[in-house]
Amino acid sequence: MAKSNKPSGPGTDAPALSPDLLALRERIDGIDRAIQGLIGERAQFAGQVGQAKGKLAAAVDYYRPEREAQVLRRVVDRNDGPLDDEVLVRLFREIMSACLAQQEPLKIGFLGPEGTHSQQAVYKHFGHSIHGLPLSSIEEVFQEVEAGAADFGVVPVENSTQGTIQSTLDMFLTSKVKICGEVELRVHQHLLSRGGRIEDVERVYSHPQSFAQCKAWLREHLPGVETLPVSSNAEAARRARNADDAAAIAGASAGSVYGLKSVAGPIEDRPDNTTRFLVLGRELFTTSGNDRTSLLIFIKDQPGALYHVLQPFAKHGLSMNRIESRPGHTGRWQYAFFVDIGGHVHDEAMCRALAEVADFVEEVKVLGSYPVAIV
């Protein structure tokens, strides 16, 4: 019997593709080839830029956050859809991350272990072509950046629901690091456990901030359950994987890392729950055109001193985004003020305002001037 030339096996009964669909797929394949070629060309030019800068010490010397911010703003300005701004920015971040890693991957410290929201913030800001350094505390992130063991660090500084992370602010009182970027991350919390059954949960691990962000949900769905604070949400997930009656409040990524099932989520009390992170480095960068400056101001103890410090910024048209006081560690009842102001420290208006506050302060410490977070 003659053998049939008709293919056999799974999928052979699929209907033939229409000429229109075939044409569309061929067109997409052609676009894919063009995109791949252009990415390769971009990588070549990025390498030439590195060569033009000469022989530098490390990858950190090639990284320019202000230039990256300008590129991403143009991506947003050009976008007419159908993809969202956030999607396109993420794609271009990854392209730039891969191109920079041709020299050497950046070493980025963050509050670990793996699976924390801080790690998500690292990837959002730097892309995935980096070498992540999970560290045990916010203090250690500062120390590793200052010592040069990490090129940059990423630390949380405030949450839209629970306010400022005081341990981060306090580190700036003594550290020499500079802020060179910021990241805003929408934070979704999930209840995670080994078995995935809420009726099995007798205790819940999480970071205190996450407990606070989910307190109404916990009160309604797990009243009376023991809550155990730990150093990070990833640490909570790591503990929860060891017992069927334990659960963790953490991000979905922590569940993937530690093999946990989602019991419920998102469970944060506010749908707009967002955490702002700061990118730490060792130098000030030039203006990107849309920047924020963070200052630490030690004010002289005299009547009206705070008014006289704030008034010049308003006079010169500078918007103050945040002001917060902390004990200054310079003496009893001595306070320092953390201030965020729109603009770059080298802008003319900022220079004039800072000159006018000099008579009313003991010290003004420029913590950083950096691009405003994009998308």
Side-chain angles (χ1 to χ4, degrees):
M1 180 181 293
K3 291 184 178 179
S4 170
N5 291 325
K6 183 178 179 180
S8 62
T12 56
D13 293 331
L17 299 178
S18 69
D20 287 345
L21 183 54
L22 283 171
L24 287 171
R25 287 187 172 181
E26 289 177 1
R27 177 63 176 146
I28 289 173
D29 289 343
I31 293 172
D32 288 345
R33 287 192 294 272
I35 291 172
Q36 185 174 350
L38 289 171
I39 291 174
E41 187 177 354
R42 190 193 193 283
Q44 290 178 345
F45 278 109
Q48 292 178 26
V49 168
Q51 293 172 9
K53 291 181 177 180
K55 184 67 175 177
L56 300 179
V60 65
D61 300 309
Y62 296 93
Y63 180 69
R64 306 302 303 182
E66 75 281 14
R67 163 67 178 162
E68 198 166 273
Q70 291 165 353
V71 171
L72 294 177
R73 288 187 200 124
R74 287 198 287 268
V75 169
V76 173
D77 291 342
R78 289 194 301 262
N79 186 25
D80 294 323
L83 297 180
D84 292 340
D85 290 345
E86 186 175 357
V87 172
L88 282 177
V89 166
R90 185 168 68 246
L91 289 172
F92 272 82
R93 282 270 194 208
E94 294 297 343
I95 291 171
M96 290 189 288
S97 178
C99 289
L100 180 65
Q102 293 179 105
Q103 311 296 332
E104 178 190 359
L106 290 171
K107 299 185 292 292
I108 313 296
F110 64 91
L111 178 62
E114 290 192 8
T116 60
H117 290 117
S118 293
Q119 186 180 36
Q120 293 180 42
V122 167
Y123 289 145
K124 181 174 181 180
H125 189 80
F126 290 98
H128 284 69
S129 297
I130 54 95
H131 177 59
L133 302 173
L135 302 169
S136 61
S137 66
I138 288 173
E139 180 181 11
E140 191 175 0
V141 177
F142 275 81
Q143 291 170 345
E144 293 297 282
V145 172
E146 189 167 346
D151 296 323
F152 296 96
V154 174
V155 294
V157 67
E158 60 181 329
N159 176 264
S160 61
T161 302
Q162 294 301 312
T164 303
I165 289 88
Q166 303 294 354
S167 56
T168 296
L169 289 190
D170 287 344
M171 285 302 302
F172 285 111
L173 292 168
T174 55
S175 178
K176 296 179 181 179
V177 302
K178 298 295 183 184
I179 305 169
C180 54
E182 65 175 7
V183 190
E184 291 186 0
L185 185 71
R186 280 285 291 108
V187 173
H188 295 297
Q189 305 285 9
H190 294 257
L191 185 70
L192 307 168
S193 75
R194 193 160 74 176
R197 290 161 40 94
I198 195 168
E199 55 266 33
D200 295 335
V201 177
E202 296 182 4
R203 63 186 184 278
V204 180
Y205 297 98
S206 196
H207 189 276
Q209 279 272 337
S210 296
F211 278 135
Q213 293 166 24
C214 304
K215 59 186 177 183
W217 189 94
L218 287 168
R219 190 164 53 244
E220 179 181 353
H221 294 92
L222 290 173
V225 168
E226 184 180 15
T227 55
L228 300 168
V230 292
S231 59
S232 73
N233 290 347
E235 175 61 23
R238 194 158 66 176
R239 295 193 185 195
R241 69 180 176 179
N242 295 322
D244 288 331
D245 62 351
I249 293 176
S253 61
S256 299
V257 171
Y258 297 101
L260 299 177
K261 297 177 182 178
S262 178
V263 180
I267 64 171
E268 62 272 11
D269 297 334
R270 292 184 58 89
D272 61 348
N273 187 36
T274 301
T275 297
R276 178 177 172 235
F277 295 81
L278 298 178
V279 179
L280 308 178
R282 291 184 291 276
E283 64 175 295
L284 283 172
F285 292 91
T286 58
T287 180
S288 73
N290 182 19
D291 302 290
R292 193 187 324 277
T293 293
S294 293
L295 304 172
L296 179 57
I297 302 176
F298 297 86
I299 297 178
K300 291 180 179 179
D301 186 12
Q302 55 183 282
L306 182 57
Y307 168 80
H308 290 299
V309 167
L310 300 183
Q311 192 272 340
F313 295 109
K315 172 184 171 183
H316 291 284
L318 298 170
S319 176
M320 185 170 295
N321 310 116
R322 183 171 69 105
I323 180 169
E324 183 159 350
S325 65
R326 292 291 294 158
H329 299 176
T330 55
R332 189 170 57 180
W333 314 124
Q334 297 290 317
Y335 286 86
F337 289 85
F338 291 87
V339 182
D340 286 345
I341 300 171
H344 194 277
V345 71
H346 293 149
D347 292 345
E348 183 177 353
M350 187 78 72
C351 291
R352 290 181 176 177
L354 289 173
E356 291 180 21
V357 306
D359 291 338
F360 304 97
V361 301
E362 297 287 352
E363 180 188 359
V364 176
K365 184 178 180 181
V366 179
L367 302 180
S369 284
Y370 46 93
V372 171
I374 300 171
V375 188

